[in-house]
Amino acid sequence: GEDVEQSLFLSVREGDSSVINCTYTDSSSTYLYWYKQEPGAGLQLLTYIFSNMDMKQDQRLTVLLNKKDKHLSLRIADTQTGDSAIYFCAESPRGGYQKVTFGTGTKLQVIP
Amino acid sequence: DAGVIQSPRHEVTEMGQEVTLRCKPISGHNSLFWYRQTMMRGLELLIYFNNNVPIDDSGMPEDRFSAKMPNASFSTLKIQPSEPRDSAVYFCASSLRRDGTEAFFGQGTRLTVV
């Protein structure tokens, strides 16, 4: 079945850039998502990218997609302590959000 | 809009009891999803409704689980009888789009079955 993998933990210093990586196996993936989960809260959709795009930028967030390698990354510029959270990568095929597959999440710790 | 509202936020119950989790989606959203999150299995989609109709319930673990959406503004997830292995955080999410590309999550219900 589909699989989405992420490293479990990332620690960065405040002000540095964070890069969270994700790999997926489903070649029919059309939508790729990044969600943020703060303690005791639900998932917040940060951004998503269509598989026909290579890059998407939104303020401090940059998403890069390497479709050939099935590799997705989320870069957070000027990381702040408020960015500390768990970040989930997810993918779904076209028209099939109900078939979305989430990664295990990467816990980002920002050190002041 | 207040976002997706789930209740209760926390539930502790004894094994064998019936548990009902509630969700109010964002007004105007016609797709609703129930998820379960555990350390061991991560996020799992349990069931998906579109226009109040269950479209895909293949993620529902067993017959002890049931979900309803009697109208566009309310859904329930029921577990009867509950078991300790059902302990998890249950999330409800809603989306304007059938393909759910912008799904908004509630804050979740933390269920503990003892």
Side-chain angles (χ1 to χ4, degrees), chain A residues 31 33 35 37 40-45 48 50 86 88 92-100 102-104, chain B residues 9 33 35 37 42-45 48 55-56 89 91 97-108 110:
Chain A
Y31 298 100
Y33 311 85
Y35 285 87
Q37 185 179 30
L43 276 70
Q44 174 194 356
L45 178 65
Y48 64 93
F50 298 111
I86 300 176
F88 290 90
S92 69
R94 178 182 175 84
Y97 187 85
Q98 65 272 29
K99 300 189 190 310
V100 67
F102 284 86
T104 51
Chain B
R9 289 294 311 278
F33 310 84
Y35 286 90
Q37 185 180 38
L43 268 162
E44 303 172 277
L45 178 66
Y48 154 58
I55 302 299
D56 185 349
V89 180
F91 288 105
R97 300 169 57 124
R98 184 187 176 97
D99 64 12
T101 45
E102 294 192 27
F104 293 82
F105 281 70
Q107 291 190 296
R110 181 174 293 278

Side-chain angles (χ1 to χ4, degrees), chain B residues 21-61:
Chain B
L21 312 179
R22 296 173 176 79
C23 174
K24 182 179 186 307
I26 293 173
S27 177
H29 283 194
N30 54 16
S31 294
L32 183 139
F33 310 84
W34 280 101
Y35 286 90
R36 177 171 68 177
Q37 185 180 38
T38 61
M39 288 291 292
M40 292 297 294
R41 300 171 70 94
L43 268 162
E44 303 172 277
L45 178 66
L46 301 177
I47 187 168
Y48 154 58
F49 291 87
N50 185 255
N51 291 326
N52 313 337
V53 176
I55 302 299
D56 185 349
D57 65 355
S58 58
M60 296 286 263

Side-chain angles (χ1 to χ4, degrees), chain A residues 81-92:
Chain A
T81 54
D83 296 324
S84 294
I86 300 176
Y87 290 81
F88 290 90
C89 169
E91 62 86 19
S92 69

Side-chain angles (χ1 to χ4, degrees), chain B residues 11-21 63-66 77-87 90 111-114:
Chain B
E11 176 82 33
V12 180
T13 190
E14 290 185 345
M15 183 174 65
Q17 296 297 306
E18 175 183 303
V19 175
T20 300
L21 312 179
D63 292 345
R64 296 184 297 107
F65 285 69
S66 62
L77 178 68
K78 185 182 292 186
I79 308 172
Q80 180 186 23
S82 57
E83 296 182 4
R85 61 195 168 113
D86 301 330
S87 297
Y90 291 81
L111 173 65
T112 304
V113 183
V114 298

Side-chain angles (χ1 to χ4, degrees), chain A:
Chain A
E2 298 82 3
D3 194 21
V4 178
E5 293 191 356
Q6 303 176 238
S7 54
L8 291 179
F9 190 75
L10 176 66
S11 180
V12 299
R13 292 204 175 275
E14 189 176 16
D16 288 350
S17 292
S18 307
V19 180
I20 303 171
N21 294 303
C22 169
T23 57
Y24 59 98
T25 58
D26 188 0
S27 57
S28 68
S29 297
T30 299
Y31 298 100
L32 296 130
Y33 311 85
W34 282 105
Y35 285 87
K36 176 183 181 182
Q37 185 179 30
E38 297 182 11
L43 276 70
Q44 174 194 356
L45 178 65
L46 290 178
T47 187
Y48 64 93
I49 190 170
F50 298 111
S51 58
N52 62 358
M53 299 168 65
D54 298 324
M55 185 181 86
K56 183 176 180 180
Q57 188 157 5
D58 183 2
Q59 298 182 336
R60 293 191 297 121
L61 304 180
T62 303
V63 178
L64 293 177
L65 174 62
N66 182 327
K67 194 174 180 183
K68 174 176 170 289
D69 294 338
K70 298 190 182 70
H71 182 267
L72 183 74
S73 68
L74 175 69
R75 179 177 181 270
I76 306 173
D78 187 25
T79 311
Q80 303 296 307
T81 54
D83 296 324
S84 294
I86 300 176
Y87 290 81
F88 290 90
C89 169
E91 62 86 19
S92 69
R94 178 182 175 84
Y97 187 85
Q98 65 272 29
K99 300 189 190 310
V100 67
T101 301
F102 284 86
T104 51
T106 299
K107 185 172 184 177
L108 174 65
Q109 179 187 45
V110 181
I111 303 167

